[in-house]
Amino acid sequence: MAVAVVLIFVYVVGFKEEEITNSPSTNSGVVAFGDSLVEGVGSARGGGFVRMLSEDFDLAITNLGRSGDTTGDALGRIDQLANIRPAVTIVLLGGNDYLRRVERGKTLANLDTIIEVIHGSGSAVLLVGLEKEIFGGADSKLFEKLVKDNKTAYVPDILDGIFGDTELMSDELHPNDAGYRIMADRIKPILKKLLIE
């Protein structure tokens, strides 16, 4: 966990403003787009890290998480964002692709298209990575490539130290509120930077 905190600190300090597409954005508001981790499955109070960030920032965050979604499913409902046009869109997807054995190249292509569509709306993207969890630690380059190619903000390996810890998990796949709190705290400094630019 300490390593993840250091990585986030280095990222926040070292990331140049002009490297993030659409930041600052002329849009307003924040949307979280993804699967059950965005929906907050396993959270006793509901909403998981999205609700926690909303409370931390005293800001309404639209939760467009849907349990079970693969990147392909999410791409099929990307038009949900069309009428919202947020300043920042948090994107967390990929776990269900791994569980359903979606080919990695397809996951990459779907995420690339999702980010492209979001960027087309004028929103900055805060991409949340799942490297170790969905790829068994074998392919952390997938999310790094997306970040480099699309110039998104990025929180690496969000479930590092959470996944598999029974004190932080509600079941085998989803955090409990303690786990979601850690996720929120990892996302918070990056989101704050995007919101104040």
Side-chain angles (χ1 to χ4, degrees), residues 136-163:
D139 192 357
S140 63
K141 301 299 182 185
L142 184 150
F143 287 95
E144 292 172 9
K145 177 173 174 52
L146 287 166
V147 171
K148 181 179 179 181
D149 290 351
N150 295 286
K151 298 181 180 178
T152 72
Y154 180 49
V155 176
D157 208 6
I158 193 67
L159 291 177
D160 183 40
I162 301 171
F163 192 80

Side-chain angles (χ1 to χ4, degrees), residues 22 109-122 125 150:
N22 293 335
N110 287 340
L111 283 169
D112 192 63
T113 302
I114 287 168
I115 292 168
E116 183 179 322
V117 171
I118 294 170
H119 278 165
S121 75
V125 171
N150 295 286

